[in-house]
PDB file of all heavy atoms in Angstrom:
ATOM      1  N   TRP A 652    -103.910 -71.341 123.903  1.00 98.00           N
ATOM      2  CA  TRP A 652    -103.879 -70.072 123.153  1.00 98.00           C
ATOM      3  C   TRP A 652    -105.261 -69.840 122.513  1.00 98.00           C
ATOM      4  O   TRP A 652    -105.765 -68.744 122.569  1.00 98.00           O
ATOM      5  CB  TRP A 652    -102.797 -70.112 122.049  1.00 98.00           C
ATOM      6  CG  TRP A 652    -101.415 -69.917 122.566  1.00 98.00           C
ATOM      7  CD1 TRP A 652    -100.363 -70.801 122.443  1.00 98.00           C
ATOM      8  CD2 TRP A 652    -100.893 -68.776 123.257  1.00 98.00           C
ATOM      9  NE1 TRP A 652     -99.250 -70.274 123.007  1.00 98.00           N
ATOM     10  CE2 TRP A 652     -99.533 -69.050 123.505  1.00 98.00           C
ATOM     11  CE3 TRP A 652    -101.431 -67.591 123.688  1.00 98.00           C
ATOM     12  CZ2 TRP A 652     -98.711 -68.115 124.182  1.00 98.00           C
ATOM     13  CZ3 TRP A 652    -100.598 -66.655 124.333  1.00 98.00           C
ATOM     14  CH2 TRP A 652     -99.257 -66.954 124.611  1.00 98.00           C
ATOM     15  N   LEU A 653    -105.829 -70.879 121.934  1.00 98.00           N
ATOM     16  CA  LEU A 653    -107.152 -70.701 121.285  1.00 98.00           C
ATOM     17  C   LEU A 653    -108.217 -70.255 122.260  1.00 98.00           C
ATOM     18  O   LEU A 653    -109.039 -69.384 121.945  1.00 98.00           O
ATOM     19  CB  LEU A 653    -107.558 -72.015 120.622  1.00 98.00           C
ATOM     20  CG  LEU A 653    -106.832 -72.376 119.325  1.00 98.00           C
ATOM     21  CD1 LEU A 653    -107.099 -73.808 118.905  1.00 98.00           C
ATOM     22  CD2 LEU A 653    -107.164 -71.384 118.205  1.00 98.00           C
ATOM     23  N   ALA A 654    -108.152 -70.786 123.493  1.00 98.00           N
ATOM     24  CA  ALA A 654    -109.118 -70.351 124.521  1.00 98.00           C
ATOM     25  C   ALA A 654    -108.913 -68.891 124.904  1.00 98.00           C
ATOM     26  O   ALA A 654    -109.892 -68.124 125.029  1.00 98.00           O
ATOM     27  CB  ALA A 654    -108.980 -71.254 125.758  1.00 98.00           C
ATOM     28  N   LEU A 655    -107.646 -68.450 124.992  1.00 98.00           N
ATOM     29  CA  LEU A 655    -107.358 -67.042 125.283  1.00 98.00           C
ATOM     30  C   LEU A 655    -107.859 -66.109 124.182  1.00 98.00           C
ATOM     31  O   LEU A 655    -108.432 -65.098 124.460  1.00 98.00           O
ATOM     32  CB  LEU A 655    -105.873 -66.850 125.508  1.00 98.00           C
ATOM     33  CG  LEU A 655    -105.420 -65.442 125.850  1.00 98.00           C
ATOM     34  CD1 LEU A 655    -105.931 -65.000 127.187  1.00 98.00           C
ATOM     35  CD2 LEU A 655    -103.888 -65.343 125.810  1.00 98.00           C
ATOM     36  N   PHE A 656    -107.640 -66.531 122.960  1.00 98.00           N
ATOM     37  CA  PHE A 656    -108.085 -65.697 121.827  1.00 98.00           C
ATOM     38  C   PHE A 656    -109.595 -65.572 121.829  1.00 98.00           C
ATOM     39  O   PHE A 656    -110.141 -64.479 121.602  1.00 98.00           O
ATOM     40  CB  PHE A 656    -107.595 -66.298 120.478  1.00 98.00           C
ATOM     41  CG  PHE A 656    -106.114 -66.417 120.403  1.00 98.00           C
ATOM     42  CD1 PHE A 656    -105.533 -67.451 119.679  1.00 98.00           C
ATOM     43  CD2 PHE A 656    -105.248 -65.497 121.000  1.00 98.00           C
ATOM     44  CE1 PHE A 656    -104.151 -67.595 119.615  1.00 98.00           C
ATOM     45  CE2 PHE A 656    -103.884 -65.615 120.916  1.00 98.00           C
ATOM     46  CZ  PHE A 656    -103.340 -66.665 120.212  1.00 98.00           C
ATOM     47  N   LEU A 657    -110.317 -66.642 122.085  1.00 97.00           N
ATOM     48  CA  LEU A 657    -111.772 -66.598 122.127  1.00 97.00           C
ATOM     49  C   LEU A 657    -112.262 -65.674 123.244  1.00 97.00           C
ATOM     50  O   LEU A 657    -113.252 -64.974 123.051  1.00 97.00           O
ATOM     51  CB  LEU A 657    -112.358 -68.017 122.328  1.00 97.00           C
ATOM     52  CG  LEU A 657    -112.566 -68.819 121.057  1.00 97.00           C
ATOM     53  CD1 LEU A 657    -113.058 -70.227 121.401  1.00 97.00           C
ATOM     54  CD2 LEU A 657    -113.555 -68.139 120.122  1.00 97.00           C
ATOM     55  N   GLU A 658    -111.580 -65.683 124.382  1.00 96.00           N
ATOM     56  CA  GLU A 658    -111.949 -64.772 125.492  1.00 96.00           C
ATOM     57  C   GLU A 658    -111.905 -63.292 125.044  1.00 96.00           C
ATOM     58  O   GLU A 658    -112.575 -62.487 125.610  1.00 96.00           O
ATOM     59  CB  GLU A 658    -110.976 -64.952 126.660  1.00 96.00           C
ATOM     60  CG  GLU A 658    -111.165 -66.205 127.457  1.00 96.00           C
ATOM     61  CD  GLU A 658    -110.091 -66.377 128.516  1.00 96.00           C
ATOM     62  OE1 GLU A 658    -109.445 -65.365 128.897  1.00 96.00           O
ATOM     63  OE2 GLU A 658    -109.890 -67.509 128.956  1.00 96.00           O
ATOM     64  N   HIS A 659    -111.072 -63.020 124.011  1.00 96.00           N
ATOM     65  CA  HIS A 659    -110.916 -61.655 123.498  1.00 96.00           C
ATOM     66  C   HIS A 659    -111.744 -61.389 122.221  1.00 96.00           C
ATOM     67  O   HIS A 659    -111.493 -60.430 121.539  1.00 96.00           O
ATOM     68  CB  HIS A 659    -109.452 -61.369 123.243  1.00 96.00           C
ATOM     69  CG  HIS A 659    -108.665 -61.193 124.522  1.00 96.00           C
ATOM     70  ND1 HIS A 659    -108.231 -62.268 125.261  1.00 96.00           N
ATOM     71  CD2 HIS A 659    -108.340 -60.088 125.185  1.00 96.00           C
ATOM     72  CE1 HIS A 659    -107.616 -61.804 126.352  1.00 96.00           C
ATOM     73  NE2 HIS A 659    -107.689 -60.483 126.340  1.00 96.00           N
ATOM     74  N   GLY A 660    -112.672 -62.306 121.928  1.00 96.00           N
ATOM     75  CA  GLY A 660    -113.532 -62.141 120.780  1.00 96.00           C
ATOM     76  C   GLY A 660    -112.816 -62.346 119.438  1.00 96.00           C
ATOM     77  O   GLY A 660    -113.221 -61.783 118.425  1.00 96.00           O
ATOM     78  N   LEU A 661    -111.778 -63.141 119.432  1.00 97.00           N
ATOM     79  CA  LEU A 661    -110.986 -63.390 118.236  1.00 97.00           C
ATOM     80  C   LEU A 661    -111.199 -64.835 117.826  1.00 97.00           C
ATOM     81  O   LEU A 661    -111.019 -65.763 118.628  1.00 97.00           O
ATOM     82  CB  LEU A 661    -109.515 -63.110 118.486  1.00 97.00           C
ATOM     83  CG  LEU A 661    -109.162 -61.678 118.803  1.00 97.00           C
ATOM     84  CD1 LEU A 661    -107.720 -61.590 119.349  1.00 97.00           C
ATOM     85  CD2 LEU A 661    -109.343 -60.787 117.602  1.00 97.00           C
ATOM     86  N   VAL A 662    -111.560 -65.035 116.582  1.00 97.00           N
ATOM     87  CA  VAL A 662    -111.826 -66.370 116.025  1.00 97.00           C
ATOM     88  C   VAL A 662    -110.653 -66.786 115.178  1.00 97.00           C
ATOM     89  O   VAL A 662    -110.151 -66.011 114.345  1.00 97.00           O
ATOM     90  CB  VAL A 662    -113.122 -66.340 115.152  1.00 97.00           C
ATOM     91  CG1 VAL A 662    -113.369 -67.683 114.529  1.00 97.00           C
ATOM     92  CG2 VAL A 662    -114.290 -65.914 116.018  1.00 97.00           C
ATOM     93  N   ALA A 663    -110.212 -68.018 115.343  1.00 98.00           N
ATOM     94  CA  ALA A 663    -109.116 -68.546 114.523  1.00 98.00           C
ATOM     95  C   ALA A 663    -109.690 -69.041 113.202  1.00 98.00           C
ATOM     96  O   ALA A 663    -110.504 -69.972 113.198  1.00 98.00           O
ATOM     97  CB  ALA A 663    -108.425 -69.683 115.257  1.00 98.00           C
ATOM     98  N   VAL A 664    -109.318 -68.404 112.121  1.00 98.00           N
ATOM     99  CA  VAL A 664    -109.743 -68.822 110.778  1.00 98.00           C
ATOM    100  C   VAL A 664    -108.744 -69.787 110.168  1.00 98.00           C
ATOM    101  O   VAL A 664    -109.072 -70.419 109.151  1.00 98.00           O
ATOM    102  CB  VAL A 664    -110.008 -67.611 109.847  1.00 98.00           C
ATOM    103  CG1 VAL A 664    -111.165 -66.775 110.396  1.00 98.00           C
ATOM    104  CG2 VAL A 664    -108.769 -66.770 109.643  1.00 98.00           C
ATOM    105  N   HIS A 665    -107.573 -69.887 110.751  1.00 98.00           N
ATOM    106  CA  HIS A 665    -106.581 -70.867 110.304  1.00 98.00           C
ATOM    107  C   HIS A 665    -105.624 -71.127 111.519  1.00 98.00           C
ATOM    108  O   HIS A 665    -105.195 -70.180 112.182  1.00 98.00           O
ATOM    109  CB  HIS A 665    -105.770 -70.335 109.128  1.00 98.00           C
ATOM    110  CG  HIS A 665    -104.718 -71.269 108.673  1.00 98.00           C
ATOM    111  ND1 HIS A 665    -104.975 -72.376 107.902  1.00 98.00           N
ATOM    112  CD2 HIS A 665    -103.365 -71.306 108.918  1.00 98.00           C
ATOM    113  CE1 HIS A 665    -103.849 -73.070 107.686  1.00 98.00           C
ATOM    114  NE2 HIS A 665    -102.877 -72.422 108.294  1.00 98.00           N
ATOM    115  N   VAL A 666    -105.300 -72.395 111.750  1.00 98.00           N
ATOM    116  CA  VAL A 666    -104.363 -72.802 112.773  1.00 98.00           C
ATOM    117  C   VAL A 666    -103.463 -73.844 112.166  1.00 98.00           C
ATOM    118  O   VAL A 666    -103.921 -74.789 111.564  1.00 98.00           O
ATOM    119  CB  VAL A 666    -105.091 -73.377 114.034  1.00 98.00           C
ATOM    120  CG1 VAL A 666    -104.064 -73.818 115.066  1.00 98.00           C
ATOM    121  CG2 VAL A 666    -106.032 -72.361 114.620  1.00 98.00           C
ATOM    122  N   GLU A 667    -102.164 -73.671 112.349  1.00 97.00           N
ATOM    123  CA  GLU A 667    -101.221 -74.593 111.717  1.00 97.00           C
ATOM    124  C   GLU A 667     -99.999 -74.761 112.650  1.00 97.00           C
ATOM    125  O   GLU A 667     -99.290 -73.812 112.979  1.00 97.00           O
ATOM    126  CB  GLU A 667    -100.734 -73.962 110.396  1.00 97.00           C
ATOM    127  CG  GLU A 667     -99.665 -74.696 109.686  1.00 97.00           C
ATOM    128  CD  GLU A 667     -99.149 -73.932 108.455  1.00 97.00           C
ATOM    129  OE1 GLU A 667     -99.800 -72.919 108.048  1.00 97.00           O
ATOM    130  OE2 GLU A 667     -98.143 -74.365 107.897  1.00 97.00           O
ATOM    131  N   SER A 668     -99.782 -75.996 113.099  1.00 97.00           N
ATOM    132  CA  SER A 668     -98.626 -76.300 113.951  1.00 97.00           C
ATOM    133  C   SER A 668     -97.553 -76.985 113.079  1.00 97.00           C
ATOM    134  O   SER A 668     -97.865 -77.761 112.154  1.00 97.00           O
ATOM    135  CB  SER A 668     -99.040 -77.257 115.103  1.00 97.00           C
ATOM    136  OG  SER A 668     -99.876 -76.573 115.982  1.00 97.00           O
ATOM    137  N   TYR A 669     -96.328 -76.681 113.428  1.00 96.00           N
ATOM    138  CA  TYR A 669     -95.216 -77.223 112.660  1.00 96.00           C
ATOM    139  C   TYR A 669     -93.937 -77.190 113.535  1.00 96.00           C
ATOM    140  O   TYR A 669     -93.914 -76.498 114.552  1.00 96.00           O
ATOM    141  CB  TYR A 669     -94.979 -76.458 111.355  1.00 96.00           C
ATOM    142  CG  TYR A 669     -94.578 -75.036 111.531  1.00 96.00           C
ATOM    143  CD1 TYR A 669     -93.236 -74.634 111.431  1.00 96.00           C
ATOM    144  CD2 TYR A 669     -95.521 -74.031 111.863  1.00 96.00           C
ATOM    145  CE1 TYR A 669     -92.840 -73.324 111.626  1.00 96.00           C
ATOM    146  CE2 TYR A 669     -95.118 -72.722 112.020  1.00 96.00           C
ATOM    147  CZ  TYR A 669     -93.822 -72.351 111.934  1.00 96.00           C
ATOM    148  OH  TYR A 669     -93.433 -71.068 112.131  1.00 96.00           O
ATOM    149  N   ARG A 670     -92.908 -77.898 113.109  1.00 94.00           N
ATOM    150  CA  ARG A 670     -91.629 -77.866 113.771  1.00 94.00           C
ATOM    151  C   ARG A 670     -90.684 -77.053 112.896  1.00 94.00           C
ATOM    152  O   ARG A 670     -90.311 -77.515 111.812  1.00 94.00           O
ATOM    153  CB  ARG A 670     -91.075 -79.269 113.990  1.00 94.00           C
ATOM    154  CG  ARG A 670     -91.745 -80.033 115.070  1.00 94.00           C
ATOM    155  CD  ARG A 670     -91.103 -81.444 115.144  1.00 94.00           C
ATOM    156  NE  ARG A 670     -91.673 -82.188 116.213  1.00 94.00           N
ATOM    157  CZ  ARG A 670     -91.068 -82.354 117.388  1.00 94.00           C
ATOM    158  NH1 ARG A 670     -89.896 -81.817 117.620  1.00 94.00           N
ATOM    159  NH2 ARG A 670     -91.605 -83.096 118.323  1.00 94.00           N
ATOM    160  N   PRO A 671     -90.295 -75.860 113.335  1.00 93.00           N
ATOM    161  CA  PRO A 671     -89.431 -75.032 112.506  1.00 93.00           C
ATOM    162  C   PRO A 671     -87.996 -75.557 112.449  1.00 93.00           C
ATOM    163  O   PRO A 671     -87.492 -76.069 113.447  1.00 93.00           O
ATOM    164  CB  PRO A 671     -89.459 -73.674 113.239  1.00 93.00           C
ATOM    165  CG  PRO A 671     -89.656 -74.039 114.658  1.00 93.00           C
ATOM    166  CD  PRO A 671     -90.558 -75.264 114.622  1.00 93.00           C
ATOM    167  N   MET A 672     -87.419 -75.473 111.307  1.00 91.00           N
ATOM    168  CA  MET A 672     -86.031 -75.904 111.154  1.00 91.00           C
ATOM    169  C   MET A 672     -85.053 -74.815 111.670  1.00 91.00           C
ATOM    170  O   MET A 672     -84.037 -75.142 112.277  1.00 91.00           O
ATOM    171  CB  MET A 672     -85.734 -76.242 109.698  1.00 91.00           C
ATOM    172  CG  MET A 672     -84.455 -76.982 109.557  1.00 91.00           C
ATOM    173  SD  MET A 672     -84.529 -78.459 110.594  1.00 91.00           S
ATOM    174  CE  MET A 672     -82.964 -79.160 110.284  1.00 91.00           C
ATOM    175  N   TRP A 673     -85.426 -73.540 111.442  1.00 88.00           N
ATOM    176  CA  TRP A 673     -84.482 -72.460 111.791  1.00 88.00           C
ATOM    177  C   TRP A 673     -85.107 -71.523 112.830  1.00 88.00           C
ATOM    178  O   TRP A 673     -86.226 -71.099 112.627  1.00 88.00           O
ATOM    179  CB  TRP A 673     -84.106 -71.666 110.532  1.00 88.00           C
ATOM    180  CG  TRP A 673     -83.637 -72.571 109.455  1.00 88.00           C
ATOM    181  CD1 TRP A 673     -84.294 -72.904 108.320  1.00 88.00           C
ATOM    182  CD2 TRP A 673     -82.416 -73.305 109.451  1.00 88.00           C
ATOM    183  NE1 TRP A 673     -83.571 -73.780 107.601  1.00 88.00           N
ATOM    184  CE2 TRP A 673     -82.416 -74.084 108.285  1.00 88.00           C
ATOM    185  CE3 TRP A 673     -81.313 -73.410 110.294  1.00 88.00           C
ATOM    186  CZ2 TRP A 673     -81.356 -74.916 107.924  1.00 88.00           C
ATOM    187  CZ3 TRP A 673     -80.276 -74.263 109.987  1.00 88.00           C
ATOM    188  CH2 TRP A 673     -80.304 -75.000 108.805  1.00 88.00           C
ATOM    189  N   PRO A 674     -84.410 -71.128 113.836  1.00 88.00           N
ATOM    190  CA  PRO A 674     -83.074 -71.548 114.210  1.00 88.00           C
ATOM    191  C   PRO A 674     -83.044 -72.692 115.182  1.00 88.00           C
ATOM    192  O   PRO A 674     -81.982 -73.056 115.687  1.00 88.00           O
ATOM    193  CB  PRO A 674     -82.528 -70.267 114.849  1.00 88.00           C
ATOM    194  CG  PRO A 674     -83.701 -69.687 115.548  1.00 88.00           C
ATOM    195  CD  PRO A 674     -84.870 -69.982 114.632  1.00 88.00           C
ATOM    196  N   THR A 675     -84.198 -73.283 115.507  1.00 90.00           N
ATOM    197  CA  THR A 675     -84.278 -74.270 116.619  1.00 90.00           C
ATOM    198  C   THR A 675     -84.155 -75.715 116.199  1.00 90.00           C
ATOM    199  O   THR A 675     -84.349 -76.616 117.010  1.00 90.00           O
ATOM    200  CB  THR A 675     -85.555 -74.015 117.414  1.00 90.00           C
ATOM    201  OG1 THR A 675     -86.671 -74.145 116.512  1.00 90.00           O
ATOM    202  CG2 THR A 675     -85.574 -72.665 118.081  1.00 90.00           C
ATOM    203  N   LEU A 676     -83.864 -75.975 114.920  1.00 91.00           N
ATOM    204  CA  LEU A 676     -83.553 -77.311 114.440  1.00 91.00           C
ATOM    205  C   LEU A 676     -84.644 -78.327 114.680  1.00 91.00           C
ATOM    206  O   LEU A 676     -84.374 -79.505 114.933  1.00 91.00           O
ATOM    207  CB  LEU A 676     -82.214 -77.781 115.019  1.00 91.00           C
ATOM    208  CG  LEU A 676     -81.036 -76.824 114.851  1.00 91.00           C
ATOM    209  CD1 LEU A 676     -79.806 -77.296 115.566  1.00 91.00           C
ATOM    210  CD2 LEU A 676     -80.780 -76.558 113.401  1.00 91.00           C
ATOM    211  N   GLY A 677     -85.898 -77.888 114.606  1.00 93.00           N
ATOM    212  CA  GLY A 677     -87.040 -78.808 114.739  1.00 93.00           C
ATOM    213  C   GLY A 677     -87.241 -79.416 116.125  1.00 93.00           C
ATOM    214  O   GLY A 677     -87.879 -80.452 116.219  1.00 93.00           O
ATOM    215  N   THR A 678     -86.735 -78.737 117.159  1.00 93.00           N
ATOM    216  CA  THR A 678     -86.799 -79.358 118.495  1.00 93.00           C
ATOM    217  C   THR A 678     -88.108 -79.181 119.215  1.00 93.00           C
ATOM    218  O   THR A 678     -88.340 -79.821 120.222  1.00 93.00           O
ATOM    219  CB  THR A 678     -85.636 -78.821 119.372  1.00 93.00           C
ATOM    220  OG1 THR A 678     -85.662 -77.412 119.386  1.00 93.00           O
ATOM    221  CG2 THR A 678     -84.304 -79.299 118.835  1.00 93.00           C
ATOM    222  N   TYR A 679     -88.987 -78.271 118.765  1.00 94.00           N
ATOM    223  CA  TYR A 679     -90.288 -78.102 119.384  1.00 94.00           C
ATOM    224  C   TYR A 679     -91.236 -77.442 118.402  1.00 94.00           C
ATOM    225  O   TYR A 679     -90.814 -76.924 117.358  1.00 94.00           O
ATOM    226  CB  TYR A 679     -90.200 -77.274 120.671  1.00 94.00           C
ATOM    227  CG  TYR A 679     -89.632 -75.877 120.531  1.00 94.00           C
ATOM    228  CD1 TYR A 679     -90.443 -74.818 120.271  1.00 94.00           C
ATOM    229  CD2 TYR A 679     -88.277 -75.670 120.681  1.00 94.00           C
ATOM    230  CE1 TYR A 679     -89.914 -73.544 120.132  1.00 94.00           C
ATOM    231  CE2 TYR A 679     -87.697 -74.423 120.531  1.00 94.00           C
ATOM    232  CZ  TYR A 679     -88.542 -73.346 120.263  1.00 94.00           C
ATOM    233  OH  TYR A 679     -88.012 -72.116 120.081  1.00 94.00           O
ATOM    234  N   HIS A 680     -92.505 -77.443 118.723  1.00 95.00           N
ATOM    235  CA  HIS A 680     -93.550 -76.920 117.841  1.00 95.00           C
ATOM    236  C   HIS A 680     -93.745 -75.426 117.925  1.00 95.00           C
ATOM    237  O   HIS A 680     -93.623 -74.862 119.005  1.00 95.00           O
ATOM    238  CB  HIS A 680     -94.875 -77.596 118.140  1.00 95.00           C
ATOM    239  CG  HIS A 680     -94.998 -78.987 117.605  1.00 95.00           C
ATOM    240  ND1 HIS A 680     -94.580 -80.080 118.264  1.00 95.00           N
ATOM    241  CD2 HIS A 680     -95.498 -79.445 116.434  1.00 95.00           C
ATOM    242  CE1 HIS A 680     -94.785 -81.157 117.597  1.00 95.00           C
ATOM    243  NE2 HIS A 680     -95.335 -80.821 116.460  1.00 95.00           N
ATOM    244  N   HIS A 681     -94.064 -74.857 116.798  1.00 97.00           N
ATOM    245  CA  HIS A 681     -94.611 -73.507 116.694  1.00 97.00           C
ATOM    246  C   HIS A 681     -96.032 -73.652 116.133  1.00 97.00           C
ATOM    247  O   HIS A 681     -96.310 -74.619 115.452  1.00 97.00           O
ATOM    248  CB  HIS A 681     -93.832 -72.664 115.681  1.00 97.00           C
ATOM    249  CG  HIS A 681     -92.490 -72.234 116.159  1.00 97.00           C
ATOM    250  ND1 HIS A 681     -91.593 -71.606 115.331  1.00 97.00           N
ATOM    251  CD2 HIS A 681     -91.863 -72.308 117.366  1.00 97.00           C
ATOM    252  CE1 HIS A 681     -90.506 -71.293 116.004  1.00 97.00           C
ATOM    253  NE2 HIS A 681     -90.641 -71.739 117.232  1.00 97.00           N
ATOM    254  N   THR A 682     -96.863 -72.679 116.410  1.00 98.00           N
ATOM    255  CA  THR A 682     -98.207 -72.690 115.845  1.00 98.00           C
ATOM    256  C   THR A 682     -98.541 -71.279 115.327  1.00 98.00           C
ATOM    257  O   THR A 682     -98.304 -70.298 115.994  1.00 98.00           O
ATOM    258  CB  THR A 682     -99.271 -73.133 116.897  1.00 98.00           C
ATOM    259  OG1 THR A 682     -98.945 -74.450 117.349  1.00 98.00           O
ATOM    260  CG2 THR A 682    -100.666 -73.151 116.256  1.00 98.00           C
ATOM    261  N   LEU A 683     -99.051 -71.267 114.113  1.00 98.00           N
ATOM    262  CA  LEU A 683     -99.553 -70.032 113.492  1.00 98.00           C
ATOM    263  C   LEU A 683    -101.058 -69.973 113.743  1.00 98.00           C
ATOM    264  O   LEU A 683    -101.778 -70.933 113.409  1.00 98.00           O
ATOM    265  CB  LEU A 683     -99.243 -70.034 111.995  1.00 98.00           C
ATOM    266  CG  LEU A 683     -99.938 -68.906 111.173  1.00 98.00           C
ATOM    267  CD1 LEU A 683     -99.458 -67.514 111.619  1.00 98.00           C
ATOM    268  CD2 LEU A 683     -99.680 -69.150 109.704  1.00 98.00           C
TER     269      LEU A 683
END
């Protein structure tokens, strides 16, 4: 994702990965 964003001239000023509890009960990662 970060590589795709850079291709579009977008810089990540914050990146945060976490396992959401709702509704997927922490079964995989999300990234902001």
Side-chain angles (χ1 to χ4, degrees):
W652 285 120
L653 286 168
L655 179 66
F656 302 146
L657 274 176
E658 287 174 19
H659 287 81
L661 297 167
V662 176
V664 296
H665 179 79
V666 179
E667 174 186 351
S668 292
Y669 65 99
R670 286 177 176 261
M672 194 55 180
W673 308 108
T675 57
L676 307 175
T678 54
Y679 58 91
H680 284 86
H681 286 172
T682 301
L683 169 64

